[in-house]
C-alpha cells in the first residue's frame, strides 16, 4: 500500500523511533512531525497535551497516512486509547512495546523507568509492566531537565553528563534495578551518558526497536506493507527552529544531510 506512515512527537525525540522504522522498513515512506515549538509536553496539563496531539494528528491525516505512530510517551499515556477509538487507521504507541522489551531483559524483575513529569504521573509504565507481570517492582523517576537539554542540542560533553548524573542520583542510590526503561523518546539521544551514569550492570531499554517491530507486524497482518521497489522520499516537519532540528535529525537518522534538509519544512503556529 503506497501511503506513508505518520510519526508524531513533542520534538526531536521521536527521531529515535523514526530511525528504527527506517532501518526495519526501508521501503516505507515516513512523514514525521515534531512539535518543537511547544516542547516539552511533560509539564503540561493533560488537556493541553490532548489538544496538541490532535493538532498534530489532524495535520498528518491530511497527508493520507496509513498508520499513526505516537512516538511521544506523554502523548501515548494521555491520548492513545482515544486515538484508537476515533481513527480508522492503526495507531501504535511506545509504552507497551517498551514495557515488553524491559520484561524480556530483566532478570530480577526490578525495573526502573525515567520519563517526563506527565508520563511518570500517569503511571502508564507501572500499569503496563504489572499488567504483564504483577510481581515486577517498579521504580519510576521524573526527569524534567533532560528534554529541554536535548531539544537545545546538548547531547554530549561535561554539561550533559552533569545534568544526567544529578538527575539519576535517586535511582543510583537504590542500586537494585537491573533494567532501566527510557520512558521518553528524547532520552536515547543521550543514551551513552545515561548508561555511563547508571552503570554497565543495568540494561538500558529504548522502545524504538520494539515499536518498529510492532508497526511491521501490524502492517503485515493488515496487508498494508509496500511491496514495490523504490527509494522512499521521507518528509520531516517541525513547528520550531529548523537549524536545531536539522542538526539532530541528520546525526540521528544517519542519512545524507541534504535528504533531511530538503524534507524539513517549518509549520507556523500561533498558540
Amino acid at each position: 500500500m503506497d501511503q506513508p506512515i505518520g510519526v508524531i512527537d513533542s520534538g526531536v525525540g521521536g527521531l529515535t523511533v523514526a530511525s528504527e522504522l527506517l532501518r526495519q522498513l526501508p521501503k516505507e515512506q515516513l512523514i514525521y512531525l515534531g512539535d518543537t515549538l511547544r516542547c516539552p509536553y511533560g509539564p503540561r496539563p493533560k488537556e493541553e497535551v490532548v489538544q496538541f496531539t490532535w493538532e498534530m494528528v489532524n495535520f498528518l491525516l491530511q497527508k493520507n497516512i496509513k498508520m499513526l505512530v505516537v512516538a511521544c510517551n506523554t502523548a501515548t499515556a494521555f491520548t492513545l486509547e482515544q486515538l484508537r477509538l476515533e481513527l480508522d487507521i492503526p495507531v501504535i504507541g511506545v509504552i507497551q512495546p517498551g514495557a515488553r522489551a524491559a520484561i524480556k531483559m530483566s532478570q530480577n524483575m526490578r525495573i526502573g523507568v525515567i520519563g517526563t513529569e506527565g508520563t511518570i504521573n500517569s503511571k502508564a509504565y507501572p500499569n503496563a509492566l504489572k499488567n504483564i507481570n504483577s510481581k515486577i517492582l517498579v521504580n519510576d523517576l521524573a526527569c524534567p531537565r533532560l528534554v529541554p537539554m536535548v531539544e537545545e542540542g546538548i547531547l554530549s560533553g561535561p554539561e550533559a553528563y552533569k545534568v544526567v548524573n544529578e538527575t539519576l542520583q535517586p535511582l543510583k542510590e537504590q542500586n537494585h534495578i537491573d533494567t532501566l526503561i527510557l520512558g521518553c523518546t528524547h532520552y536515547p539521544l543521550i543514551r551513552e551518558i545515561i548508561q555511563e551514569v547508571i552503570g554497565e550492570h543495568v540494561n538500558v531499554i529504548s522502545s524504538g526497536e520494539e515499536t518498529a517491530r510492532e508497526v511491521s507486524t501490524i502492517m503485515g497482518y493488515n496487508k498494508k506493507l509496500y511491496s514495490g521497489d523504490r527509494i522512499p522520499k521521507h518528509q520531516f516537519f517541525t513547528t520550531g527552529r529548523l537549524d536545531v532540528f536539522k542538526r539532530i535529525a541528520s546525526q540521528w537518522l544517519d542519512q545524507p544531510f541534504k535528504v533531511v534538509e530538503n524534507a524539513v519544512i517549518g509549520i507556523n503556529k500561533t498558540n
Side-chain angles (χ1 to χ4, degrees):
M1 180 177 286
D2 192 11
Q3 294 172 258
I5 299 170
V7 182
I8 59 172
D9 185 63
S10 62
V12 299
L15 293 170
T16 60
V17 177
S19 176
E20 276 297 324
L21 289 169
L22 294 176
R23 186 178 70 84
Q24 295 188 33
L25 298 167
K27 291 184 178 181
E28 297 293 336
Q29 292 184 345
L30 297 188
I31 299 182
Y32 179 98
L33 172 56
D35 191 8
T36 52
L37 182 66
R38 301 180 294 194
C39 184
Y41 279 12
R44 294 184 180 275
K46 177 179 178 179
E47 295 75 15
E48 206 166 48
V49 174
V50 172
Q51 175 194 336
F52 292 173
T53 301
W54 272 107
E55 288 176 4
M56 290 194 290
V57 170
N58 288 330
F59 175 86
L60 289 186
L61 290 176
Q62 297 175 20
K63 306 294 184 182
N64 195 31
I65 59 174
K66 61 183 174 182
M67 173 177 276
L68 175 67
V69 180
V70 185
C72 171
N73 284 265
T74 305
T76 297
F78 289 158
T79 69
L80 184 64
E81 295 308 315
Q82 182 186 18
L83 292 170
R84 284 176 169 171
L85 284 173
E86 298 193 24
L87 298 182
D88 59 1
I89 57 174
V91 182
I92 302 297
V94 289
I95 290 175
Q96 286 289 343
R100 286 195 295 270
I103 289 175
K104 289 178 185 177
M105 293 295 295
S106 180
Q107 296 297 313
N108 67 6
M109 292 296 106
R110 295 172 180 264
I111 296 174
V113 181
I114 56 175
T116 67
E117 301 99 311
T119 299
I120 297 302
N121 291 337
S122 75
K123 295 300 178 183
Y125 271 103
N127 291 339
L129 290 163
K130 290 181 179 293
N131 283 341
I132 300 172
N133 185 340
S134 61
K135 295 182 180 179
I136 289 175
L137 296 178
V138 183
N139 292 96
D140 50 10
L141 177 68
C143 305
R145 299 171 65 189
L146 298 188
V147 169
M149 182 181 75
V150 171
E151 286 289 327
E152 291 173 10
I154 303 172
L155 308 179
S156 61
E159 182 180 355
Y161 182 89
K162 180 176 184 293
V163 171
V164 172
N165 188 49
E166 292 174 354
T167 297
L168 298 187
Q169 279 305 311
L171 280 181
K172 290 181 65 178
E173 290 169 2
Q174 294 169 6
N175 198 33
H176 60 257
I177 64 169
D178 75 344
T179 303
L180 177 65
I181 298 175
L182 303 182
C184 173
T185 49
H186 284 72
Y187 297 172
L189 292 164
I190 51 173
R191 179 174 182 160
E192 290 183 5
I193 297 176
I194 292 172
Q195 184 75 74
E196 182 180 355
V197 168
I198 202 66
E200 293 299 326
H201 65 286
V202 177
N203 301 306
V204 176
I205 300 296
S206 169
S207 60
E209 184 174 346
E210 286 290 323
T211 301
R213 188 175 294 117
E214 187 162 321
V215 168
S216 179
T217 300
I218 290 175
M219 287 206 307
Y221 177 80
N222 291 321
K223 296 181 172 56
K224 289 180 176 289
L225 288 169
Y226 180 78
S227 58
D229 188 20
R230 67 173 176 195
I231 299 176
K233 296 180 180 179
H234 311 294
Q235 292 180 288
F236 292 84
F237 297 85
T238 177
T239 60
R241 289 177 54 188
L242 288 176
D243 55 344
V244 175
F245 185 90
K246 290 176 184 177
R247 184 173 72 251
I248 296 174
S250 63
Q251 293 171 353
W252 189 254
L253 297 178
D254 194 27
Q255 293 193 10
F257 182 76
K258 64 180 182 180
V259 174
V260 177
E261 183 180 30
N262 290 339
V264 175
I265 300 174
I267 302 171
N268 293 322
K269 286 186 177 288
T270 59
N271 50 341

